Amino acid sequence: MATEKLGNRIRKFREERGLSRAELAEKSDLTELFVTALEEEDLYPSIAPLQKIARALGVRLGTFMDDEISVDPLIVRKTCREADLTMQKAGDKSPSFLFHSLGKGKTDRNMEPFFIHITPETEEDRKISSHQGEEFIVVISGTLLIRYGKEEHLLEAGDSAYFNSIVPHYVGAADGEDAEIYAVIYYPD
């Protein structure tokens, strides 16, 4: 987050809606312990639980990253983009995923476009997730590992993948090297 931590934003939306942590946990099908860690310890989870929280709060996932409102067309210069969301393992100092929102500020968007820098994870840290919607990914550099259901695919720079994200999947850097991708995530209402 450029100006405000993710946990603070979620707390703000939860309180605006008059929900307790227990109520938000129930509505999002997560544990109260998870919601507490998210708000107090500034835990940065994967996209799947964030989507559940966004749905429970009645907001778009991108709302957690928006600082300002823009007008069309929204232009994001490569030299000006900042990591809006990071995901890292507990105890790690460096993030595994740096998400740069490319739609930040466009309040009427139906997709979440990102530039994502991915560092390699150990096999035990490669967690499968699933959520409503679709994903479209283009590899910019490095090698990308996609586990989709029981299939496994390696993508190189210039390759792309488009899939239904309700199917359990994992996307991460392969071969022990960093990877960079453009990803567009669509969440149906």
Side-chain angles (χ1 to χ4, degrees), residues 88-101:
Q88 58 199 65
K89 299 171 282 303
D92 254 359
K93 292 189 176 167
S94 60
S96 299
F97 295 84
L98 289 169
F99 288 79
H100 303 257
S101 175

Side-chain angles (χ1 to χ4, degrees), residues 24 27-30 47-57 130:
L24 177 58
K27 284 182 74 154
S28 60
D29 197 29
L30 299 167
I47 294 291
L50 282 180
Q51 182 190 20
K52 289 180 177 184
I53 289 173
R55 283 183 178 273
L57 293 172
S130 69

Side-chain angles (χ1 to χ4, degrees), residues 27-98:
K27 284 182 74 154
S28 60
D29 197 29
L30 299 167
T31 67
E32 186 175 353
L33 185 64
F34 181 86
V35 173
T36 299
L38 189 60
E39 289 185 1
E40 291 183 7
E41 298 169 27
D42 212 31
L43 171 73
Y44 284 85
S46 68
I47 294 291
L50 282 180
Q51 182 190 20
K52 289 180 177 184
I53 289 173
R55 283 183 178 273
L57 293 172
V59 299
R60 296 175 296 97
L61 175 67
T63 302
F64 299 140
M65 294 172 242
D66 291 342
D67 281 338
E68 55 199 50
I69 297 172
S70 71
V71 295
D72 288 340
L74 173 64
I75 307 294
V76 178
R77 303 275 180 213
K78 180 179 178 180
T79 57
C80 298
R81 63 184 182 213
E82 298 175 351
D84 298 293
L85 176 64
T86 58
M87 290 185 203
Q88 58 199 65
K89 299 171 282 303
D92 254 359
K93 292 189 176 167
S94 60
S96 299
F97 295 84
L98 289 169

Side-chain angles (χ1 to χ4, degrees), residues 99-113:
F99 288 79
H100 303 257
S101 175
L102 303 177
K104 181 178 173 178
K106 181 162 176 43
T107 56
D108 61 345
R109 69 187 180 266
N110 296 302
M111 304 177 290
E112 293 297 336

Side-chain angles (χ1 to χ4, degrees), residues 118 137 139 141-146 153-156 171-174 179 181:
I118 307 169
I137 295 169
V139 180
S141 67
T143 304
L144 191 72
L145 168 65
I146 296 180
H153 305 275
L154 291 174
L155 282 70
E156 302 290 333
V171 175
I181 64 173

